[in-house]
Every structure is written in structure tokens, then in C-alpha cells.
Amino acid sequence: MPPSDPTVAFDIQPHQATPIYRQLVEQVQRLVASGRLAPGAELPSVRAVAEAHAINPMTVSKAYSLLEAQGLLARRRGVGMVVAESVTPTSRATERLALLQPALEAVARQAVQLGIRPARALAAFEQALASLDPDKENA
């Protein structure tokens, strides 16, 4: 998989409370769990990610190192970081939802603080999902 592959285009939000390295770690975890990043798939180089998002290369390096320590990534000489061969996608929906749970809880807190009713918040969430990928059903 070439580094410019859109499946590994990271969505970095520098103004979020979540540190950038954490955003990278969590996005790779989700891409691997969903199977969008298969074992052996190459990740973009530290330099490429840093340049594309105007962030410090050490931030990207920290994220990749944490993922390597978790066993999700492996360093391949001459190639860079790849998804570890031993990693398999998470086929169970409950495990994939567990990766989403912290974000859902944060949004739920915000909805309560804003006084938004649950049904209205759910409708807004469904609309946001549909706007991102209207052709696919969400599992």
C-alpha cells in the first residue's frame, strides 16, 4: 500500500483537547480494527505525515513508537512502519464499539451540557454519519 493511499490519510484536529500523537494512535487502532489497514500495509513515513499536517516529526514518531510497543505496527528495514503480520481485524462489533466509546461519552457529556435532548442528539449523530458516507450502511 503506497504511503499516499487515502485509507491512511489521517484526520488531525490540532485544536482538539486530545493530543495529536493520541489522535494518530487512536486512528491507526481504528483502521486496523476495521480491517482498512491489513497486516503488512505500509503507513506513511514520519516525514510525510509531519509535512502533510504541519506537525512536529517527533509527534508522529511518538505515535508510531507507541503503536509498535502495542504490537500493532512493526518496523521494516528500508520500508518504514507496517501493520504487524500478527494483527487481525476486529470482527466483533462490540470490540469495535469499545474503541468508539470514549468519543461517544465525550459527545454525550457535551449534549447534556448544552441541554440537547437524546433524540435530537441521536438524529444529529445519524446525520453526521450519513454526511460522511451516505452510500454505506453503518454497522
Side-chain angles (χ1 to χ4, degrees):
M1 178 179 296
S4 61
D5 191 299
T7 61
V8 288
F10 298 113
D11 180 22
I12 305 301
Q13 303 292 324
H15 302 296
Q16 262 189 1
T18 305
I20 292 172
Y21 82 91
R22 222 36 251 154
Q23 292 179 44
L24 288 167
V25 167
E26 291 169 2
Q27 287 179 45
V28 171
Q29 289 171 332
R30 290 189 296 263
L31 289 167
V32 169
S34 70
R36 288 183 60 197
L37 275 178
E42 292 178 35
L43 270 76
S45 71
V46 167
R47 182 181 300 181
V49 174
E51 287 176 0
H53 297 284
I55 57 177
N56 189 323
M58 291 305 292
T59 301
V60 182
S61 184
K62 179 178 183 176
Y64 281 7
S65 292
L66 286 170
L67 289 160
E68 184 179 22
Q70 292 174 5
L72 280 179
L73 298 183
R75 200 172 303 270
R76 192 174 291 162
R77 190 177 178 112
V79 175
M81 298 303 274
V82 297
V83 177
E85 293 296 332
S86 60
V87 173
T88 57
T90 304
S91 59
R92 293 191 354 228
T94 54
E95 291 175 13
R96 292 194 314 268
L97 282 172
L99 291 171
L100 185 60
Q101 194 62 34
L104 290 173
E105 289 171 3
V107 170
R109 261 191 308 281
Q110 291 174 17
V112 168
Q113 291 167 351
L114 292 167
I116 298 172
R117 294 173 169 256
R120 191 103 157 102
L122 287 172
F125 181 68
E126 288 176 346
Q127 185 178 13
L129 284 173
S131 72
L132 293 174
D133 198 358
D135 297 329
K136 288 188 178 179
E137 286 186 22
N138 295 299

